mmCIF file of all heavy atoms in Angstrom:
data_model
loop_
_atom_site.group_PDB
_atom_site.id
_atom_site.type_symbol
_atom_site.label_atom_id
_atom_site.label_comp_id
_atom_site.label_asym_id
_atom_site.label_seq_id
_atom_site.Cartn_x
_atom_site.Cartn_y
_atom_site.Cartn_z
ATOM 1 N N ALA A 175 61.173 -0.755 -2.246
ATOM 2 C CA ALA A 175 60.561 -1.827 -1.457
ATOM 3 C C ALA A 175 59.515 -2.586 -2.281
ATOM 4 O O ALA A 175 59.465 -3.826 -2.253
ATOM 5 C CB ALA A 175 59.926 -1.247 -0.192
ATOM 6 N N PHE A 176 58.678 -1.844 -3.011
ATOM 7 C CA PHE A 176 57.664 -2.494 -3.861
ATOM 8 C C PHE A 176 58.322 -3.331 -4.944
ATOM 9 O O PHE A 176 57.922 -4.481 -5.188
ATOM 10 C CB PHE A 176 56.745 -1.440 -4.499
ATOM 11 C CG PHE A 176 55.629 -0.993 -3.608
ATOM 12 C CD1 PHE A 176 55.424 0.358 -3.355
ATOM 13 C CD2 PHE A 176 54.758 -1.908 -3.035
ATOM 14 C CE1 PHE A 176 54.388 0.785 -2.544
ATOM 15 C CE2 PHE A 176 53.719 -1.494 -2.217
ATOM 16 C CZ PHE A 176 53.540 -0.141 -1.963
ATOM 17 N N TYR A 177 59.333 -2.773 -5.612
ATOM 18 C CA TYR A 177 60.007 -3.514 -6.682
ATOM 19 C C TYR A 177 60.698 -4.769 -6.128
ATOM 20 O O TYR A 177 60.614 -5.847 -6.742
ATOM 21 C CB TYR A 177 61.040 -2.627 -7.381
ATOM 22 C CG TYR A 177 60.451 -1.511 -8.202
ATOM 23 C CD1 TYR A 177 60.970 -0.209 -8.135
ATOM 24 C CD2 TYR A 177 59.383 -1.741 -9.065
ATOM 25 C CE1 TYR A 177 60.426 0.818 -8.893
ATOM 26 C CE2 TYR A 177 58.832 -0.720 -9.825
ATOM 27 C CZ TYR A 177 59.368 0.565 -9.730
ATOM 28 O OH TYR A 177 58.834 1.579 -10.477
ATOM 29 N N SER A 178 61.355 -4.643 -4.989
ATOM 30 C CA SER A 178 62.053 -5.785 -4.392
ATOM 31 C C SER A 178 61.069 -6.888 -4.013
ATOM 32 O O SER A 178 61.312 -8.077 -4.283
ATOM 33 C CB SER A 178 62.837 -5.340 -3.154
ATOM 34 O OG SER A 178 63.790 -4.352 -3.489
ATOM 35 N N TYR A 179 59.954 -6.471 -3.401
ATOM 36 C CA TYR A 179 58.940 -7.455 -3.015
ATOM 37 C C TYR A 179 58.335 -8.114 -4.257
ATOM 38 O O TYR A 179 58.105 -9.330 -4.276
ATOM 39 C CB TYR A 179 57.850 -6.775 -2.196
ATOM 40 C CG TYR A 179 56.709 -7.687 -1.811
ATOM 41 C CD1 TYR A 179 56.939 -8.842 -1.066
ATOM 42 C CD2 TYR A 179 55.411 -7.400 -2.201
ATOM 43 C CE1 TYR A 179 55.899 -9.690 -0.721
ATOM 44 C CE2 TYR A 179 54.361 -8.239 -1.861
ATOM 45 C CZ TYR A 179 54.611 -9.383 -1.123
ATOM 46 O OH TYR A 179 53.579 -10.215 -0.788
ATOM 47 N N GLY A 180 58.101 -7.311 -5.296
ATOM 48 C CA GLY A 180 57.542 -7.856 -6.530
ATOM 49 C C GLY A 180 58.472 -8.855 -7.187
ATOM 50 O O GLY A 180 58.027 -9.914 -7.670
ATOM 51 N N ILE A 181 59.778 -8.559 -7.212
ATOM 52 C CA ILE A 181 60.754 -9.475 -7.815
ATOM 53 C C ILE A 181 60.818 -10.779 -7.030
ATOM 54 O O ILE A 181 60.808 -11.882 -7.605
ATOM 55 C CB ILE A 181 62.147 -8.806 -7.867
ATOM 56 C CG1 ILE A 181 62.132 -7.624 -8.850
ATOM 57 C CG2 ILE A 181 63.204 -9.814 -8.290
ATOM 58 C CD1 ILE A 181 63.394 -6.787 -8.795
ATOM 59 N N THR A 182 60.885 -10.670 -5.697
ATOM 60 C CA THR A 182 60.940 -11.867 -4.848
ATOM 61 C C THR A 182 59.690 -12.721 -5.028
ATOM 62 O O THR A 182 59.772 -13.952 -5.157
ATOM 63 C CB THR A 182 61.090 -11.458 -3.374
ATOM 64 O OG1 THR A 182 62.251 -10.630 -3.216
ATOM 65 C CG2 THR A 182 61.215 -12.683 -2.483
ATOM 66 N N ARG A 183 58.541 -12.055 -5.046
ATOM 67 C CA ARG A 183 57.283 -12.783 -5.178
ATOM 68 C C ARG A 183 57.154 -13.429 -6.566
ATOM 69 O O ARG A 183 56.613 -14.528 -6.700
ATOM 70 C CB ARG A 183 56.118 -11.812 -4.952
ATOM 71 C CG ARG A 183 54.786 -12.493 -4.697
ATOM 72 C CD ARG A 183 53.755 -11.444 -4.290
ATOM 73 N NE ARG A 183 52.508 -12.079 -3.891
ATOM 74 C CZ ARG A 183 51.552 -12.423 -4.752
ATOM 75 N NH1 ARG A 183 51.731 -12.199 -6.043
ATOM 76 N NH2 ARG A 183 50.440 -12.979 -4.324
ATOM 77 N N LYS A 184 57.678 -12.749 -7.579
ATOM 78 C CA LYS A 184 57.612 -13.292 -8.937
ATOM 79 C C LYS A 184 58.454 -14.545 -9.070
ATOM 80 O O LYS A 184 58.080 -15.488 -9.780
ATOM 81 C CB LYS A 184 58.072 -12.227 -9.940
ATOM 82 C CG LYS A 184 57.906 -12.629 -11.399
ATOM 83 C CD LYS A 184 58.252 -11.488 -12.318
ATOM 84 C CE LYS A 184 58.017 -11.883 -13.771
ATOM 85 N NZ LYS A 184 58.314 -10.772 -14.710
ATOM 86 N N ARG A 185 59.593 -14.580 -8.386
ATOM 87 C CA ARG A 185 60.447 -15.764 -8.419
ATOM 88 C C ARG A 185 59.825 -16.941 -7.679
ATOM 89 O O ARG A 185 59.945 -18.090 -8.109
ATOM 90 C CB ARG A 185 61.810 -15.439 -7.826
ATOM 91 C CG ARG A 185 62.662 -14.521 -8.711
ATOM 92 C CD ARG A 185 63.897 -14.046 -7.989
ATOM 93 N NE ARG A 185 64.705 -13.167 -8.822
ATOM 94 C CZ ARG A 185 65.722 -12.448 -8.377
ATOM 95 N NH1 ARG A 185 66.071 -12.510 -7.082
ATOM 96 N NH2 ARG A 185 66.400 -11.660 -9.200
ATOM 97 N N LYS A 186 59.137 -16.637 -6.561
ATOM 98 C CA LYS A 186 58.517 -17.703 -5.773
ATOM 99 C C LYS A 186 57.197 -18.166 -6.388
ATOM 100 O O LYS A 186 56.872 -19.355 -6.352
ATOM 101 C CB LYS A 186 58.270 -17.212 -4.343
ATOM 102 C CG LYS A 186 59.540 -17.018 -3.537
ATOM 103 C CD LYS A 186 59.205 -16.584 -2.108
ATOM 104 C CE LYS A 186 60.468 -16.435 -1.265
ATOM 105 N NZ LYS A 186 60.163 -15.998 0.123
ATOM 106 N N HIS A 187 56.422 -17.214 -6.931
ATOM 107 C CA HIS A 187 55.090 -17.531 -7.475
ATOM 108 C C HIS A 187 54.959 -16.947 -8.886
ATOM 109 O O HIS A 187 54.221 -15.981 -9.099
ATOM 110 C CB HIS A 187 53.990 -16.979 -6.570
ATOM 111 C CG HIS A 187 54.133 -17.347 -5.125
ATOM 112 N ND1 HIS A 187 53.866 -18.616 -4.651
ATOM 113 C CD2 HIS A 187 54.532 -16.615 -4.046
ATOM 114 C CE1 HIS A 187 54.081 -18.647 -3.343
ATOM 115 N NE2 HIS A 187 54.488 -17.455 -2.953
ATOM 116 N N PRO A 188 55.668 -17.498 -9.862
ATOM 117 C CA PRO A 188 55.607 -16.943 -11.222
ATOM 118 C C PRO A 188 54.227 -17.058 -11.867
ATOM 119 O O PRO A 188 53.900 -16.290 -12.771
ATOM 120 C CB PRO A 188 56.641 -17.780 -11.983
ATOM 121 C CG PRO A 188 56.769 -19.046 -11.200
ATOM 122 C CD PRO A 188 56.559 -18.654 -9.768
ATOM 123 N N ALA A 189 53.406 -18.002 -11.385
ATOM 124 C CA ALA A 189 52.078 -18.186 -11.977
ATOM 125 C C ALA A 189 51.111 -17.069 -11.582
ATOM 126 O O ALA A 189 50.119 -16.822 -12.280
ATOM 127 C CB ALA A 189 51.497 -19.534 -11.567
ATOM 128 N N LYS A 190 51.389 -16.384 -10.460
ATOM 129 C CA LYS A 190 50.506 -15.303 -10.002
ATOM 130 C C LYS A 190 50.874 -14.005 -10.727
ATOM 131 O O LYS A 190 51.366 -13.039 -10.146
ATOM 132 C CB LYS A 190 50.612 -15.138 -8.490
ATOM 133 C CG LYS A 190 50.135 -16.367 -7.726
ATOM 134 C CD LYS A 190 50.205 -16.166 -6.218
ATOM 135 C CE LYS A 190 49.687 -17.381 -5.472
ATOM 136 N NZ LYS A 190 49.757 -17.204 -4.003
ATOM 137 N N HIS A 191 50.610 -14.023 -12.024
ATOM 138 C CA HIS A 191 51.067 -12.943 -12.907
ATOM 139 C C HIS A 191 50.416 -11.606 -12.572
ATOM 140 O O HIS A 191 51.092 -10.576 -12.461
ATOM 141 C CB HIS A 191 50.773 -13.329 -14.359
ATOM 142 C CG HIS A 191 51.054 -12.251 -15.342
ATOM 143 N ND1 HIS A 191 52.333 -11.878 -15.704
ATOM 144 C CD2 HIS A 191 50.209 -11.437 -16.035
ATOM 145 C CE1 HIS A 191 52.274 -10.900 -16.586
ATOM 146 N NE2 HIS A 191 51.009 -10.611 -16.807
ATOM 147 N N PHE A 192 49.094 -11.617 -12.405
ATOM 148 C CA PHE A 192 48.369 -10.353 -12.250
ATOM 149 C C PHE A 192 48.691 -9.664 -10.930
ATOM 150 O O PHE A 192 48.881 -8.445 -10.884
ATOM 151 C CB PHE A 192 46.861 -10.589 -12.378
ATOM 152 C CG PHE A 192 46.461 -11.140 -13.721
ATOM 153 C CD1 PHE A 192 45.806 -12.348 -13.818
ATOM 154 C CD2 PHE A 192 46.762 -10.453 -14.881
ATOM 155 C CE1 PHE A 192 45.454 -12.871 -15.047
ATOM 156 C CE2 PHE A 192 46.408 -10.955 -16.120
ATOM 157 C CZ PHE A 192 45.749 -12.172 -16.198
ATOM 158 N N SER A 193 48.767 -10.431 -9.841
ATOM 159 C CA SER A 193 49.083 -9.824 -8.549
ATOM 160 C C SER A 193 50.532 -9.326 -8.524
ATOM 161 O O SER A 193 50.828 -8.283 -7.930
ATOM 162 C CB SER A 193 48.842 -10.820 -7.413
ATOM 163 O OG SER A 193 49.592 -12.003 -7.610
ATOM 164 N N ASN A 194 51.435 -10.050 -9.192
ATOM 165 C CA ASN A 194 52.823 -9.586 -9.268
ATOM 166 C C ASN A 194 52.920 -8.266 -10.031
ATOM 167 O O ASN A 194 53.630 -7.342 -9.627
ATOM 168 C CB ASN A 194 53.703 -10.643 -9.960
ATOM 169 C CG ASN A 194 53.846 -11.909 -9.137
ATOM 170 O OD1 ASN A 194 53.719 -11.881 -7.920
ATOM 171 N ND2 ASN A 194 54.105 -13.023 -9.803
ATOM 172 N N GLU A 195 52.196 -8.182 -11.139
ATOM 173 C CA GLU A 195 52.212 -6.954 -11.926
ATOM 174 C C GLU A 195 51.557 -5.795 -11.165
ATOM 175 O O GLU A 195 51.973 -4.637 -11.299
ATOM 176 C CB GLU A 195 51.484 -7.164 -13.257
ATOM 177 C CG GLU A 195 52.213 -8.078 -14.228
ATOM 178 C CD GLU A 195 53.497 -7.469 -14.767
ATOM 179 O OE1 GLU A 195 53.441 -6.705 -15.740
ATOM 180 O OE2 GLU A 195 54.569 -7.755 -14.191
ATOM 181 N N ALA A 196 50.541 -6.107 -10.350
ATOM 182 C CA ALA A 196 49.898 -5.062 -9.548
ATOM 183 C C ALA A 196 50.875 -4.476 -8.532
ATOM 184 O O ALA A 196 50.867 -3.268 -8.267
ATOM 185 C CB ALA A 196 48.669 -5.633 -8.837
ATOM 186 N N ILE A 197 51.722 -5.323 -7.964
ATOM 187 C CA ILE A 197 52.741 -4.842 -7.021
ATOM 188 C C ILE A 197 53.745 -3.947 -7.746
ATOM 189 O O ILE A 197 54.144 -2.885 -7.231
ATOM 190 C CB ILE A 197 53.461 -6.026 -6.345
ATOM 191 C CG1 ILE A 197 52.480 -6.784 -5.438
ATOM 192 C CG2 ILE A 197 54.664 -5.549 -5.530
ATOM 193 C CD1 ILE A 197 52.998 -8.105 -4.942
ATOM 194 N N PHE A 198 54.151 -4.352 -8.944
ATOM 195 C CA PHE A 198 55.051 -3.510 -9.740
ATOM 196 C C PHE A 198 54.392 -2.167 -10.058
ATOM 197 O O PHE A 198 55.071 -1.135 -10.113
ATOM 198 C CB PHE A 198 55.436 -4.221 -11.036
ATOM 199 C CG PHE A 198 56.432 -5.325 -10.853
ATOM 200 C CD1 PHE A 198 56.317 -6.520 -11.556
ATOM 201 C CD2 PHE A 198 57.501 -5.180 -9.982
ATOM 202 C CE1 PHE A 198 57.240 -7.534 -11.383
ATOM 203 C CE2 PHE A 198 58.430 -6.194 -9.802
ATOM 204 C CZ PHE A 198 58.291 -7.378 -10.497
ATOM 205 N N PHE A 199 53.072 -2.183 -10.272
ATOM 206 C CA PHE A 199 52.371 -0.933 -10.557
ATOM 207 C C PHE A 199 52.444 0.025 -9.371
ATOM 208 O O PHE A 199 52.579 1.241 -9.552
ATOM 209 C CB PHE A 199 50.913 -1.214 -10.916
ATOM 210 C CG PHE A 199 50.092 0.031 -11.108
ATOM 211 C CD1 PHE A 199 50.234 0.810 -12.248
ATOM 212 C CD2 PHE A 199 49.191 0.446 -10.135
ATOM 213 C CE1 PHE A 199 49.499 1.962 -12.424
ATOM 214 C CE2 PHE A 199 48.449 1.601 -10.298
ATOM 215 C CZ PHE A 199 48.602 2.358 -11.447
ATOM 216 N N LEU A 200 52.339 -0.512 -8.156
ATOM 217 C CA LEU A 200 52.493 0.344 -6.973
ATOM 218 C C LEU A 200 53.895 0.940 -6.930
ATOM 219 O O LEU A 200 54.081 2.096 -6.521
ATOM 220 C CB LEU A 200 52.225 -0.481 -5.705
ATOM 221 C CG LEU A 200 50.796 -1.007 -5.540
ATOM 222 C CD1 LEU A 200 50.691 -1.873 -4.289
ATOM 223 C CD2 LEU A 200 49.790 0.147 -5.460
ATOM 224 N N GLY A 201 54.880 0.169 -7.380
ATOM 225 C CA GLY A 201 56.234 0.707 -7.495
ATOM 226 C C GLY A 201 56.314 1.813 -8.538
ATOM 227 O O GLY A 201 57.022 2.808 -8.352
ATOM 228 N N VAL A 202 55.559 1.646 -9.631
ATOM 229 C CA VAL A 202 55.513 2.673 -10.680
ATOM 230 C C VAL A 202 54.945 3.978 -10.122
ATOM 231 O O VAL A 202 55.486 5.074 -10.363
ATOM 232 C CB VAL A 202 54.674 2.191 -11.881
ATOM 233 C CG1 VAL A 202 54.353 3.347 -12.828
ATOM 234 C CG2 VAL A 202 55.415 1.100 -12.637
ATOM 235 N N LEU A 203 53.842 3.882 -9.362
ATOM 236 C CA LEU A 203 53.243 5.085 -8.757
ATOM 237 C C LEU A 203 54.216 5.749 -7.786
ATOM 238 O O LEU A 203 54.347 6.987 -7.781
ATOM 239 C CB LEU A 203 51.951 4.711 -8.025
ATOM 240 C CG LEU A 203 50.710 4.429 -8.868
ATOM 241 C CD1 LEU A 203 49.525 4.126 -7.953
ATOM 242 C CD2 LEU A 203 50.366 5.616 -9.758
ATOM 243 N N SER A 204 54.886 4.949 -6.985
ATOM 244 C CA SER A 204 55.848 5.501 -6.024
ATOM 245 C C SER A 204 57.013 6.175 -6.740
ATOM 246 O O SER A 204 57.486 7.241 -6.316
ATOM 247 C CB SER A 204 56.377 4.390 -5.107
ATOM 248 O OG SER A 204 55.317 3.733 -4.436
ATOM 249 N N THR A 205 57.463 5.572 -7.827
ATOM 250 C CA THR A 205 58.543 6.167 -8.613
ATOM 251 C C THR A 205 58.116 7.494 -9.207
ATOM 252 O O THR A 205 58.885 8.476 -9.195
ATOM 253 C CB THR A 205 58.977 5.212 -9.743
ATOM 254 O OG1 THR A 205 59.342 3.947 -9.188
ATOM 255 C CG2 THR A 205 60.152 5.787 -10.516
ATOM 256 N N ALA A 206 56.898 7.541 -9.749
ATOM 257 C CA ALA A 206 56.386 8.790 -10.329
ATOM 258 C C ALA A 206 56.324 9.889 -9.271
ATOM 259 O O ALA A 206 56.669 11.058 -9.542
ATOM 260 C CB ALA A 206 55.003 8.552 -10.935
ATOM 261 N N THR A 207 55.892 9.527 -8.054
ATOM 262 C CA THR A 207 55.832 10.509 -6.970
ATOM 263 C C THR A 207 57.232 10.981 -6.583
ATOM 264 O O THR A 207 57.457 12.181 -6.352
ATOM 265 C CB THR A 207 55.135 9.894 -5.732
ATOM 266 O OG1 THR A 207 53.879 9.338 -6.121
ATOM 267 C CG2 THR A 207 54.892 10.951 -4.672
ATOM 268 N N ALA A 208 58.180 10.053 -6.522
ATOM 269 C CA ALA A 208 59.570 10.406 -6.193
ATOM 270 C C ALA A 208 60.151 11.339 -7.246
ATOM 271 O O ALA A 208 60.841 12.324 -6.911
ATOM 272 C CB ALA A 208 60.415 9.145 -6.082
ATOM 273 N N ILE A 209 59.860 11.081 -8.512
ATOM 274 C CA ILE A 209 60.359 11.943 -9.590
ATOM 275 C C ILE A 209 59.725 13.331 -9.500
ATOM 276 O O ILE A 209 60.380 14.354 -9.757
ATOM 277 C CB ILE A 209 60.090 11.298 -10.966
ATOM 278 C CG1 ILE A 209 60.953 10.045 -11.131
ATOM 279 C CG2 ILE A 209 60.367 12.282 -12.105
ATOM 280 C CD1 ILE A 209 60.647 9.246 -12.381
ATOM 281 N N THR A 210 58.444 13.391 -9.116
ATOM 282 C CA THR A 210 57.768 14.688 -8.943
ATOM 283 C C THR A 210 58.447 15.515 -7.856
ATOM 284 O O THR A 210 58.720 16.713 -8.040
ATOM 285 C CB THR A 210 56.287 14.470 -8.596
ATOM 286 O OG1 THR A 210 55.662 13.708 -9.638
ATOM 287 C CG2 THR A 210 55.565 15.804 -8.455
ATOM 288 N N PHE A 211 58.727 14.882 -6.723
ATOM 289 C CA PHE A 211 59.419 15.592 -5.629
ATOM 290 C C PHE A 211 60.844 15.974 -6.029
ATOM 291 O O PHE A 211 61.355 17.019 -5.626
ATOM 292 C CB PHE A 211 59.435 14.738 -4.359
ATOM 293 C CG PHE A 211 58.097 14.639 -3.683
ATOM 294 C CD1 PHE A 211 57.596 13.415 -3.247
ATOM 295 C CD2 PHE A 211 57.331 15.778 -3.475
ATOM 296 C CE1 PHE A 211 56.373 13.330 -2.613
ATOM 297 C CE2 PHE A 211 56.094 15.702 -2.841
ATOM 298 C CZ PHE A 211 55.609 14.479 -2.412
ATOM 299 N N PHE A 212 61.474 15.115 -6.835
ATOM 300 C CA PHE A 212 62.822 15.439 -7.334
ATOM 301 C C PHE A 212 62.767 16.696 -8.207
ATOM 302 O O PHE A 212 63.650 17.562 -8.132
ATOM 303 C CB PHE A 212 63.375 14.261 -8.133
ATOM 304 C CG PHE A 212 64.695 14.539 -8.797
ATOM 305 C CD1 PHE A 212 65.860 14.580 -8.048
ATOM 306 C CD2 PHE A 212 64.765 14.771 -10.164
ATOM 307 C CE1 PHE A 212 67.090 14.847 -8.656
ATOM 308 C CE2 PHE A 212 65.986 15.030 -10.780
ATOM 309 C CZ PHE A 212 67.143 15.073 -10.021
ATOM 310 N N GLY A 213 61.713 16.792 -9.014
ATOM 311 C CA GLY A 213 61.538 17.985 -9.841
ATOM 312 C C GLY A 213 61.365 19.243 -9.010
ATOM 313 O O GLY A 213 61.901 20.307 -9.353
ATOM 314 N N GLU A 214 60.610 19.110 -7.895
ATOM 315 C CA GLU A 214 60.442 20.260 -7.000
ATOM 316 C C GLU A 214 61.773 20.652 -6.355
ATOM 317 O O GLU A 214 62.063 21.843 -6.174
ATOM 318 C CB GLU A 214 59.412 19.927 -5.918
ATOM 319 C CG GLU A 214 57.985 19.781 -6.427
ATOM 320 C CD GLU A 214 57.021 19.493 -5.297
ATOM 321 O OE1 GLU A 214 57.442 19.572 -4.111
ATOM 322 O OE2 GLU A 214 55.845 19.181 -5.570
ATOM 323 N N ALA A 215 62.587 19.657 -6.036
ATOM 324 C CA ALA A 215 63.854 19.930 -5.347
ATOM 325 C C ALA A 215 64.858 20.651 -6.247
ATOM 326 O O ALA A 215 65.631 21.496 -5.776
ATOM 327 C CB ALA A 215 64.458 18.620 -4.829
#
């Protein structure tokens, strides 16, 4: 969801570089958490 929203927002507002990258960072954190739970599984 974070990555999809970030991609859509980047296409609509390419000049808002920092906020777009911040959204991708939230996707990075979520991915890291998902990988951690995958490791537990």
